[in-house]
Amino acid sequence: MQPVFASYPLGRFRRNRKSAAMRALTEEVTLGVGDLIWPVFLRDGTNRRDPIASMPGVERLSLDLVVEAAALAHDLGIPAICLFPYTDPALKTADCREAWNPENLTNRAIRAIKAAVPDIAVMTDVALDPYNLYGHDGLVRDGIILNDESVTALVRMALVQAEAGADILGPSDMMDGRIGAMRAGLEAAGHTDVAILSYAAKYASAFYGPFRDAVGASGALKGDKKTYQMNPANGDEALRLVARDLSEGADMVMVKPGMPYLDICRRVKEAFGAPTYAYQVSGEYAMIKGAAAQGWIDGEKAMLESLIGFKRAGCDGVLTYFAPEVARLLRR
Ligand code: PBG
């Protein structure tokens, strides 16, 4: 598209910004509640909520409270909720077997939410880190994160989640070949309508710190995730990964983190036109909440500006811890 405009003084861009009415008419993208996926943290017990120090306003919730949260999200018009479990350290093993226990926290939560709030889409996390003695997303042997053995474990985990009623599986593990293996497993098991939202372009990022506190993985993790998560310097590789995951049967793709990678969101959307999501991760949330708590920025405005940025970059939606807060604001 070739921009054409009269030169000054005939052309005055400020005309279209003169009033709220003119700004509304000329707005290019909008943020709606339908764009939101709300990540929530689970814990065991009843009527229990733990604040997460590095994520002000976010709590780990016991199953009964997560069901209430899902009902509230549904009432607000939020289409999907994404579950992340805080696993009892006693259940973490080297073989990560709790990951495919049909009665684990996530699977119990899926069933409880689908029974009480059937119309909200339930998304899961498919990765081994909450269950792993070593804190990694894949199985570890002699300090090496194993690819193919991890894929086998992840498929077992995914199938149990599908069986529990998950609508969207979110493989966040970054092993090679997992999307194809999961899609084949789902087909074979008759779960033909379960969607896969692939964490296709997931970077090895410092912005995941607060999340690892929330799921209790910080203590266990030895080293970093650079052998499976992407190098922040790479953009072309993100396109190859998205192409690969779409061709293996992903229905939707994600770029993660969000704000430092808006160029990737734009390129992915333009290259493939597939449903594209950004994950505004825990560290991004913490930065906005932390600065707002100091009185250094206006938290509400910064939240809205950060989210509209994802829409402008071409995203169809955003996973954000702000989901209920922004949904309430959009309703007003
Ligand atoms: C791990 C996983 C991570 C996040 C979602 N799934 C952290 C990691 O890769 O170490 C991060 C989300 C966030 O920071 O909000 N499977």
Side-chain angles (χ1 to χ4, degrees):
M1 182 177 62
Q2 183 63 37
V4 176
F5 49 87
S7 59
Y8 173 82
L10 299 180
R12 291 179 186 267
F13 279 92
R14 292 184 57 190
R15 281 185 209 118
N16 288 351
R17 301 185 206 121
K18 174 175 87 166
S19 60
M22 291 303 284
R23 290 190 294 273
L25 284 171
T26 56
E27 189 161 275
E28 295 177 29
V29 295
T30 50
L31 177 70
V33 284
D35 300 325
L36 305 171
I37 300 177
W38 183 24
V40 297
F41 298 109
L42 309 170
R43 54 153 296 158
D44 59 11
T46 312
N47 196 23
R48 301 289 300 268
R49 50 174 89 237
D50 316 322
I52 298 155
S54 50
M55 300 180 74
V58 175
E59 299 170 314
R60 295 185 198 115
L61 301 173
S62 55
L63 283 198
D64 52 325
L65 299 183
V66 160
V67 172
E68 281 177 22
L72 171 127
H74 181 60
D75 288 345
L76 286 168
I78 297 170
I81 190 166
C82 182
L83 307 178
F84 292 99
Y86 172 88
T87 304
D88 180 349
L91 294 172
K92 297 187 190 211
T93 58
D95 66 7
C96 306
R97 75 182 90 93
E98 180 66 7
W100 50 90
N101 174 0
E103 294 304 319
N104 74 18
L105 202 49
T106 296
N107 294 321
R108 280 185 282 139
I110 297 168
R111 284 194 288 269
I113 294 170
K114 291 310 291 189
V117 196
D119 293 338
I120 198 161
V122 175
M123 174 173 168
T124 59
D125 184 49
V126 188
L128 301 178
D129 52 317
Y131 313 99
N132 194 339
L133 203 52
Y134 307 112
H136 278 290
D137 294 23
L139 298 168
V140 182
R141 190 190 304 136
D142 302 328
I144 305 288
I145 291 84
L146 305 171
N147 193 85
D148 300 8
E149 292 86 337
S150 297
V151 169
T152 305
L154 292 162
V155 171
R156 288 179 81 172
M157 179 179 186
L159 287 176
V160 171
Q161 292 173 348
E163 197 57 48
D167 299 287
I168 306 170
L169 305 180
S172 68
D173 56 286
M174 289 294 280
M175 298 300 126
D176 287 315
R178 89 274 205 220
I179 302 299
M182 269 173 217
R183 179 53 73 208
L186 290 168
E187 283 292 315
H191 296 301
T192 50
D193 294 334
V194 174
I196 298 178
L197 198 179
S198 173
Y199 288 58
K202 177 173 176 180
Y203 288 86
S205 174
F207 291 98
Y208 306 150
F211 172 97
R212 291 179 191 165
D213 297 339
V215 299
S218 313
L221 183 62
K222 308 268 181 306
D224 55 46
K225 301 191 175 184
K226 290 181 184 170
T227 68
Y228 48 106
Q229 298 180 350
M230 283 180 69
N231 179 347
N234 295 356
D236 292 345
E237 186 188 354
L239 297 196
R240 295 161 68 211
L241 287 167
V242 169
R244 192 264 315 262
D245 287 1
L246 288 171
S247 68
E248 288 185 13
D251 304 281
M252 311 149 96
V253 292
M254 188 200 296
V255 174
K256 176 182 175 194
M259 210 142 78
Y261 300 95
L262 290 176
D263 59 322
I264 309 299
C265 297
R266 166 55 59 195
R267 290 179 69 186
V268 165
K269 188 63 186 178
E270 279 184 0
F272 304 105
T276 302
Y277 302 80
Y279 198 143
Q280 183 179 51
V281 299
S282 56
E284 298 176 68
Y285 176 86
M287 284 196 300
I288 293 174
K289 282 289 184 191
Q294 296 285 335
W296 294 340
I297 59 172
D298 180 323
E300 205 171 278
K301 292 198 175 98
M303 166 181 80
L304 288 170
E305 187 176 334
S306 67
L307 292 169
I308 202 73
F310 293 114
K311 294 301 299 288
R312 196 193 58 249
C315 292
D316 295 283
V318 191
L319 285 91
T320 177
Y321 301 98
F322 287 120
E325 192 177 338
V326 76
R328 268 188 220 101
L329 210 74
L330 292 172
R331 246 208 335 203
R332 282 216 301 268

